[in-house]
Amino acid sequence: MSQEISKRKRDHLELCATDEVAFRERTHLLDHVKLLHQSLPDLHLDEDIDLCIDLFGKKLRAPIVIAAMTGGTDEAGSVNEHLARLANRRGYGFGLGSQRAMQKRPDTAWTFRVREQAPDLLLLGNLGCVQARDTSSEAIQRLLDDVGADAICVHMNPAMEMIQPGGDRNFRDVSKTFGRLCRELTVPVIGKETGSGISRACAAKLLEQGVRHVDVSGAGGTSWVGVETLRAEGDARALGELLWDWGIPTAAAIHYAVSAGLTAIATGGIRHGYDIARAIALGADAAGVARHVFKAYRAGGIAAADAFLRRCENELRTVMLLCGVSSIAQLKQAPHIVTGELREWIA
């Protein structure tokens, strides 16, 4: 089992360095959020626009999280270290990949330990909801303490597991697991999807269990059903082809989560600062970027990843000026119009 986890992590990195695992037809629908232009913004781009936010007790210089990606292999350890250093330097949040690998193979724990290299980082731990159900709160707390996590993403991935070779099939009592963790862990619990989005019903279940924060990880970015489809064979591969575009678009998932009263991190196909701005206008507190950062890193190292994120910040700052807002709090209230398919999802 532990060797299989390591192989899966290596496969995931190779596949996610390409666009081969993108959704094929479904989009994140953020393009259906139309922000209103203000011809008299009365703002200085370089002096008046403040991107700072407070998230999980940490001040971020911009509402950006390098979202959960990897861990458990030598390359994963290098990716985590380099991108965590970058996030620390630029004042972003950073998410670890699933710490299940760390559970199963303690010798891989070093691949998740980025705190020494990134002392000021907002660091999000990560464990699957099924693994969390089957693990004591004390053991999960030790995993978080080991890496110095400020919060934990408990990820929900039933669609992905349906296709994954040897994937989980039993999801009984995972809702109650969130309640237990909210009561017994010392850090905030984030309900995180893995590319299929948060529904109204899921948001309500999480809220009932005491969860106050979600990472919506909606459809329209990386299809993790697609990732596992490319690793699968036979009937599982055919099923994955059928369900490749399964999920709730990111923009709709943000609306569902925020309407339920949850704090939302918007991940799922975020490509640039304009997407970040539209996600925040829908009510998200921050946006998470994963595959596009990793692609840049793979193509040109840390300098390319840094350049990509700098562009995102500049794009976000420019859109804010054109909307006539000077803070993220004001951007959340910025006038906008919702059109097309997104309006149908919201209705």
Side-chain angles (χ1 to χ4, degrees), residues 45-256:
L45 180 68
D46 300 322
E47 297 177 4
D48 296 334
I49 309 296
D50 182 7
L51 303 184
C52 292
I53 64 165
D54 291 313
L55 193 63
F56 304 118
K58 294 284 183 77
K59 185 164 188 174
L60 304 188
R61 199 173 61 81
I64 295 173
V65 176
I66 299 179
M69 220 177 294
T70 193
T73 69
D74 289 353
E75 183 187 4
S78 179
V79 171
N80 278 341
E81 179 183 344
H82 290 158
L83 293 181
R85 284 179 184 269
L86 174 60
N88 190 76
R89 186 172 74 249
R90 295 200 60 77
Y92 305 150
F94 182 81
L96 295 170
S98 174
Q99 291 175 261
R100 182 184 185 185
M102 185 176 168
Q103 266 188 313
K104 297 293 184 181
R105 289 189 58 190
D107 60 302
T108 68
W110 69 271
T111 68
F112 296 90
R113 292 176 180 144
V114 298
R115 178 58 78 194
E116 186 175 342
Q117 293 81 25
D120 303 318
L121 188 68
L122 169 62
L123 182 62
L124 308 180
N126 190 329
L127 194 64
C129 58
V130 171
Q131 288 70 51
R133 178 197 62 195
D134 299 336
T135 306
S136 71
S137 300
E138 292 80 8
I140 295 173
Q141 186 69 57
R142 286 195 296 271
L143 282 176
L144 299 175
D145 291 343
D146 190 337
V147 298
D150 299 296
I152 181 172
C153 293
V154 179
H155 67 259
M156 305 166 283
N157 60 343
M160 177 183 175
E161 294 288 342
M162 291 299 100
I163 313 304
Q164 185 181 106
D168 293 317
R169 295 295 183 269
N170 176 12
F171 299 93
R172 290 172 178 162
D173 294 326
V174 293
S175 296
K176 295 178 182 178
T177 298
F178 280 92
R180 168 172 63 87
L181 297 181
C182 286
R183 292 189 302 272
E184 297 179 3
L185 296 182
T186 63
V187 299
V189 174
I190 305 164
K192 175 179 171 54
E193 239 293 341
T194 54
S196 296
I198 300 286
S199 67
R200 293 185 195 274
C202 179
K205 277 188 176 183
L206 290 170
L207 196 68
E208 183 180 0
Q209 292 297 328
V211 175
R212 296 295 178 264
H213 316 281
V214 292
D215 176 342
V216 301
S217 193
T222 299
S223 169
W224 281 94
V225 168
V227 171
E228 294 300 347
T229 298
L230 295 178
R231 299 181 63 248
E233 297 176 351
D235 289 347
R237 190 173 186 111
L239 181 61
E241 290 287 346
L242 179 68
L243 298 177
W244 191 292
D245 275 7
W246 179 266
I248 297 165
T250 300
I254 296 167
H255 174 79
Y256 297 156

Side-chain angles (χ1 to χ4, degrees), residues 9-17 70 73 75-76 294 298:
K9 299 304 179 186
R10 288 192 294 271
D11 290 348
H12 288 172
L13 283 177
E14 290 303 317
L15 291 168
C16 289
T70 193
T73 69
E75 183 187 4
F294 181 60
R298 262 293 185 88

